[in-house]
């Protein structure tokens, strides 16, 4: 059997079993797919708006255009992120043993944490000036936006892999 390359990052099985609540599972079972749908849609729209916002930051001194994009996206991105997080936590606790046993949850959480740290660092230096239409260092903007795009793309990829797994054709060696 081929060992998983990220197996060392898996959450401990005993922890996952301790987090498992059959009562919550049965309570949420009738709405599980609605919560999953909300999670996927909120995540997709959040990611799309983040891409637009980051790409606007990477452009060379289009301050007015950047401010419009920032004002449009900023409020919605915060709310969509909140919906994504709440629905994601609900989905995790729906079946923590199954979701946490796959090797892609921990890397997803790590990438998400790094993306939030990047957002916190960029908040006052990039995002607030962008909202105000002020000049931003192009190098700093491209770096912060590039890191944001890479990290959130990684989160999406890890989410897909954790949900579906890696196709067996890629695991043959």
């Amino acid at each position: 059997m081929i060992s998983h390359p990220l197996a060392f990052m898996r959450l401990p099985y005993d922890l996952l079993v301790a987090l498992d609540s059959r009562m919550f599972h049965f309570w949420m079972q009738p709405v599980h797919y609605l919560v999953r749908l909300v999670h996927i849609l909120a995540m997709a729209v959040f990611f799309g708006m983040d891409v637009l916002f980051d790409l606007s930051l990477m452009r060379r001194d289009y301050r007015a255009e950047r401010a419009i994009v920032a004002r449009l996206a900023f409020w919605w991105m915060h709310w969509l992120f909140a919906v994504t997080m709440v629905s994601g936590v609900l989905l995790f606790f729906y079946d923590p043993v199954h979701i946490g046993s796959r090797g892609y949850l921990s890397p997803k959480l790590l990438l998400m944490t790094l993306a939030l740290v990047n957002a916190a660092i960029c908040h006052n230096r990039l995002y607030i000036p962008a909202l105000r239409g002020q000049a931003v260092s192009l190098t700093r903007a491209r770096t912060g936006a590039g890191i944001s795009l890479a990290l959130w793309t990684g989160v999406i990829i890890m989410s897909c892999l954790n949900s579906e797994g890696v196709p067996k054709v890629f695991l043959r060696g």
Side-chain angles (χ1 to χ4, degrees):
M1 177 160 181
I2 297 171
S3 114
H4 189 280
L6 300 174
F8 69 95
M9 292 184 76
R10 284 191 177 139
L11 296 174
Y13 186 76
D14 293 339
L15 172 66
L16 296 172
V17 170
L19 294 173
D20 195 8
S21 166
R22 291 293 93 190
M23 184 181 291
F24 180 76
H25 180 88
F26 290 122
W27 174 80
M28 197 171 128
Q29 196 166 14
V31 296
H32 169 259
Y33 288 99
L34 291 174
V35 173
R36 190 169 184 195
L37 178 68
V38 166
H39 181 71
I40 291 169
L41 289 174
M43 181 177 58
V45 176
F46 167 80
F47 182 69
M49 294 185 95
D50 182 64
V51 168
L52 288 175
F53 183 65
D54 287 336
L55 291 177
S56 76
L57 283 174
M58 295 173 121
R59 295 191 64 187
R60 191 179 296 279
D61 200 31
Y62 287 91
R63 283 187 261 165
E65 178 183 295
R66 186 180 308 141
I68 292 168
V69 172
R71 284 189 206 110
L72 173 68
F74 212 63
W75 183 85
W76 281 104
M77 285 174 62
H78 283 84
W79 278 105
L80 288 164
F81 181 75
V83 169
T84 302
M85 289 300 296
V86 169
S87 60
V89 168
L90 290 173
L91 289 171
F92 173 76
F93 283 109
Y94 175 71
D95 195 359
V97 174
H98 181 259
I99 293 170
S101 293
R102 292 209 170 139
Y104 299 101
L105 179 65
S106 295
K108 173 187 173 180
L109 296 175
L110 175 64
L111 289 170
M112 196 179 314
T113 301
L114 292 173
L116 291 172
V117 168
N118 181 60
I121 291 169
C122 294
H123 191 309
N124 288 332
R125 295 179 180 176
L126 296 176
Y127 304 153
I128 298 301
L131 282 168
R132 295 179 181 150
Q134 297 169 345
V136 177
S137 162
L138 187 58
T139 302
R140 186 180 291 171
R142 286 183 175 173
T143 302
I147 291 170
S148 174
L149 286 171
L151 291 172
W152 287 117
T153 299
V155 170
I156 300 282
I157 290 169
M158 291 300 146
S159 294
C160 293
L161 290 174
N162 203 57
S163 177
E164 301 298 326
V166 177
K168 297 207 185 298
V169 70
F170 292 116
L171 295 177
R172 292 184 187 146

